[in-house]
Amino acid sequence: MAKVLMKGNEAIGEAAIRAGCKNYFAYPITPQSEVAEYLAKRMPEVDGVFVQGESEVAVGYMIFGAAGCGERVMTTSSSPGISLMSEALSYIAGARCPAVFVNIMRGGPGLGGILPSQGDYFQATKGGGHGDYRLLVMAPEGVQEAVEMTMKAFNLAEKYRGPVMILGDGLIGQMMEPVEFPENFDTTPTNKDDWATSGMDTRKSDKKNIVKSLFLDPKALNDHNLLLKSNYERMKQEEILYEGYNTDADYKVLIVSYGTMSRVCKTAIDTMKAQGLEIGMIRPQTLFPFPEKAVHEAAVKASCSHVVSIELNMGQMVEDVDRCVKGQRPVTWYGECGGDIPTPEEIIDHVKSLLNN
Amino acid sequence: MGKTFSRPEALSDAHTHYCPGCTHGIVHRLVAEVIDELGIRGRTVGIAPVGCAVLAYNYFTCDFQEAAHGRAPAMATGIKRVRPDLMVFTYQGDGDLASIGMGEIVHAANRGEKFTTIFINNAIYGMTGGQMAPTTMPGQRATTAPAGRDVEKTGMPMRMCELLSSLATPGYIARETVLKPKYINKAKKAIKKAFEFQKENRCFSFVEIVSTCPTNWGMTPLDAMKWAEDTLLPYYPLGEFKTPDA
Ligand SMILES: Cc1ncc(C[n+]2csc(CCOP(=O)(O)OP(=O)(O)O)c2C)c(N)n1
Ligand code: SF4
């Protein structure tokens, strides 16, 4: 297929349809409302479902109910909306239902602002909702990757029977870029007979299916949570994605950065390279599972004297980076947390200041 | 002699955990009978609430989902929209539906979602031990209203049928009770109508059942039935409030 120029939010909506998702529930919030506007028009064209819920709280459960039937479902929102959906995220994870959540992050806490942010890293990767669960979290750096990750998310959600989150930011949602949609994509949901509430008539056996997260017996809850844990361990074996940038060079500083911020870092790295200064970068594409080994190995390279996590927040991923570096190099944070995005020049200045210390 | 009375196919043979004299069991049976009579068990999905009926999925023999407190109508919306061929019902208590889930039920009703809600109004939070509900009567004691509900501070009990009937969207809204055998047949008729309206894809349907909670009211089952009849029924009148034909 030829490339088309699309706005990030609209491309995410189109990607969902191409991944076989005919069911979309959402509530408007800047900077992701265009997904809902796009799908309000597109879903009827493909005989799909679009419902604008009365709140993100309700939307979370519309997704839960639909996912419980074994259908492909998606919602999109932005930070304060995701907070409201976090209740449902916890229940969906507990009930082991596949669903795709897209968070086009804006600044917080509270109402914060409407400009790009990566302030929901903790919320996405460490919980958000209550209880012992994880989300598989993917962070695209632009519109093309947002499309690919969104499509892939449906298969991963089904593979692990749990919610998958695409963590973008306001810039990715709002910018226009040329995109190409992967073709020959597997759009059939995997067999749900064993668990989905699709109606007993649709099954060969007379078994009723129950979608629930309640396990009053402590032993049963323990076993259930260990099953969830084994899924998360499997993700760590099979789903880690990252990109190394200029990592073949003998870099002096290693940057760890993801999403929109990492693109600015790439420009800064290219500029410094032209000036004769080698800087490397690891760009996690999955934030959970986190590319722990890759970050560690890149950090301890002999030429590298410092590791810096560059993020659009007050320093969240830096805690994971620090955990991976295990004290072998100094790890610091640099970034903006109000909605502005550091320029390549600012990054260059900061990286050079690290080397002068 | 042939069998004259047996367990509905839609009801399992599990022992329920409900207290002696609790009306949840009677309402379960009525819903199960209706499912059997309409022959829809194989395409029915029930939604259990958070409250005493949280384990309802163990008592019915059809597919079930377990919602969060108050969210059953949103969940039902999700199911019904993606699978309009399924018959979907929520089964909710008054704390669940009229308090934390007020937004979800009002908006589902207003969208005219084609599912059925069975609403158990026992004027108290049963499962958590007798706290005040939006439906608790003036002066009625609850653990969080030890001196009795003070309407100056907490407002008047909410009448869900009346409130939902005020919506312009067509729907079937009825209130019945199971306090005495004479009421039970009418309650079943209302439940059956509600499921039939769904089956015909006509409207949102809602049946409130005025119920008892002898345990948390601190009464014997018989006293509870009498108290409910004397105190709840005058404030929560029975009957059909809205039908799609009107
Ligand atoms: C979010 C949330 N808040 C509170 C609770 C605790 N809780 C469980 S049941 C219940 C009250 C249920 O009362 P009602 O809906 O009237 O049903 P009943 O037990 O009387 O049948 C509450 C408050 C919960 N489970 N989840
Ligand atoms: S606590 Fe009340 S509502 Fe709950 S089972 Fe017992 S009597 Fe029924």
Side-chain angles (χ1 to χ4, degrees), chain A residues 23 49 51 54 57-58 61-62 64-65 68-69 87 91 197-201 203 208-212 214, chain B residues 41-42 45 54 57 60-66 68 71 74-75 78-79 81-83 86 103-104 107 111:
Chain A
N23 307 296
V49 171
V51 178
E54 64 271 31
V57 175
Y61 288 91
M62 292 176 185
F64 187 7
C69 295
E87 183 195 53
Y91 278 76
T197 60
S198 48
M200 289 163 71
D201 281 352
R203 259 161 256 145
K208 69 172 179 182
N209 283 343
I210 301 175
V211 167
K212 64 168 175 118
L214 179 67
Chain B
R41 187 170 71 97
V45 181
V54 68
Y57 51 74
F60 290 93
T61 57
C62 58
D63 280 359
F64 244 84
Q65 293 201 22
E66 167 62 51
R71 315 287 180 237
M75 201 171 205
I79 300 174
R81 289 295 185 113
V82 305
R83 288 289 309 278
L86 293 174
E104 282 77 4
H107 284 277
R111 282 191 303 266

Side-chain angles (χ1 to χ4, degrees), chain A residues 55-329:
Chain A
S55 70
E56 288 91 345
V57 175
V59 164
Y61 288 91
M62 292 176 185
I63 292 290
F64 187 7
C69 295
E71 304 291 322
R72 288 198 164 176
V73 294
M74 178 177 84
T75 185
T76 61
S77 190
S78 180
S79 311
I82 295 289
S83 291
L84 285 174
M85 289 176 184
S86 295
E87 183 195 53
L89 269 170
S90 164
Y91 278 76
I92 293 170
R96 301 197 56 216
C97 291
V100 175
F101 285 74
V102 179
N103 181 0
I104 300 296
M105 289 181 281
R106 59 189 248 181
L111 266 183
I114 57 167
L115 292 172
S117 164
Q118 295 177 330
D120 303 346
Y121 180 90
F122 281 156
Q123 187 193 45
T125 63
K126 315 285 179 197
H130 60 286
D132 225 350
Y133 78 94
R134 311 300 301 247
L135 293 177
L136 202 163
V137 184
M138 291 188 278
E141 66 163 1
V143 181
Q144 180 64 39
E145 209 174 46
V147 160
E148 288 162 15
M149 286 178 172
T150 301
M151 291 181 73
K152 207 174 144 191
F154 291 96
N155 291 337
L156 288 172
E158 283 159 19
K159 177 173 174 186
Y160 293 99
R161 274 184 59 189
V164 172
M165 181 172 280
I166 306 296
L167 198 62
D169 62 56
L171 198 76
I172 290 171
Q174 295 298 325
M175 73 184 161
M176 287 184 92
E177 283 189 315
V179 285
E180 202 172 345
F181 292 91
E183 297 201 39
N184 305 322
F185 194 83
D186 186 2
T187 57
T188 17
T190 41
N191 193 327
K192 307 291 175 30
D193 276 11
D194 288 346
W195 62 271
T197 60
S198 48
M200 289 163 71
D201 281 352
T202 61
R203 259 161 256 145
K204 288 192 187 72
S205 70
D206 194 35
K207 178 180 157 290
K208 69 172 179 182
N209 283 343
I210 301 175
V211 167
K212 64 168 175 118
S213 60
L214 179 67
F215 297 88
L216 290 172
D217 170 9
K219 166 102 177 54
L221 181 58
N222 187 59
D223 289 350
H224 178 70
N225 279 333
L226 290 179
L227 175 74
L228 295 183
K229 182 173 161 62
S230 70
N231 269 334
Y232 305 141
E233 294 305 322
R234 185 171 167 210
M235 287 176 195
K236 289 182 188 171
Q237 299 303 315
E238 298 178 21
E239 311 305 340
I240 287 178
L241 278 180
Y242 63 92
E243 179 194 11
Y245 196 75
N246 202 35
T247 38
D248 289 339
D250 283 329
Y251 47 86
K252 298 245 184 310
V253 171
L254 176 72
I255 292 173
V256 185
S257 189
Y258 68 95
T260 289
M261 191 62 245
S262 66
R263 291 175 71 162
V264 186
C265 292
K266 283 181 180 173
T267 307
I269 290 170
D270 292 348
T271 308
M272 288 186 273
K273 193 177 185 75
Q275 295 167 356
L277 177 59
E278 298 289 2
I279 304 296
M281 179 169 75
I282 296 285
R283 175 174 75 88
Q285 290 161 296
T286 50
L287 300 179
F288 182 87
F290 195 70
E292 298 174 6
K293 196 159 155 266
V295 169
H296 181 80
E297 284 171 2
V300 299
K301 189 162 182 167
S303 61
C304 176
S305 65
H306 200 108
V307 181
V308 57
S309 180
I310 304 188
E311 313 170 55
L312 297 177
N313 55 40
M314 62 167 93
Q316 297 192 16
M317 183 175 68
V318 63
E319 294 187 9
D320 279 332
V321 176
D322 197 34
R323 178 171 62 83
C324 300
V325 177
K326 298 190 170 101
Q328 307 233 7
R329 295 287 183 280

Side-chain angles (χ1 to χ4, degrees), chain B residues 200-235:
Chain B
E200 293 158 12
N201 202 32
R202 289 193 61 188
C203 62
F204 171 75
S205 54
F206 181 93
V207 181
E208 171 174 341
I209 307 285
V210 177
S211 300
T212 62
C213 179
T215 303
N216 286 300
W217 293 355
M219 296 178 194
T220 64
L222 278 181
D223 287 348
M225 298 281 184
K226 184 164 178 0
W227 185 81
E229 211 174 2
D230 294 347
T231 318
L232 296 183
L233 291 193
Y235 188 78

Side-chain angles (χ1 to χ4, degrees), chain A residues 87 91, chain B residues 24 50-53 69 71 92-97 100 120 122 124-128 131 133 213:
Chain A
E87 183 195 53
Y91 278 76
Chain B
H24 270 303
V50 168
C52 283
H69 201 28
R71 315 287 180 237
Q92 303 176 257
D94 43 23
D96 186 90
L97 182 139
I100 188 168
I120 305 299
N122 56 15
I124 205 147
Y125 284 19
M127 186 196 219
T128 39
Q131 295 86 9
C213 179

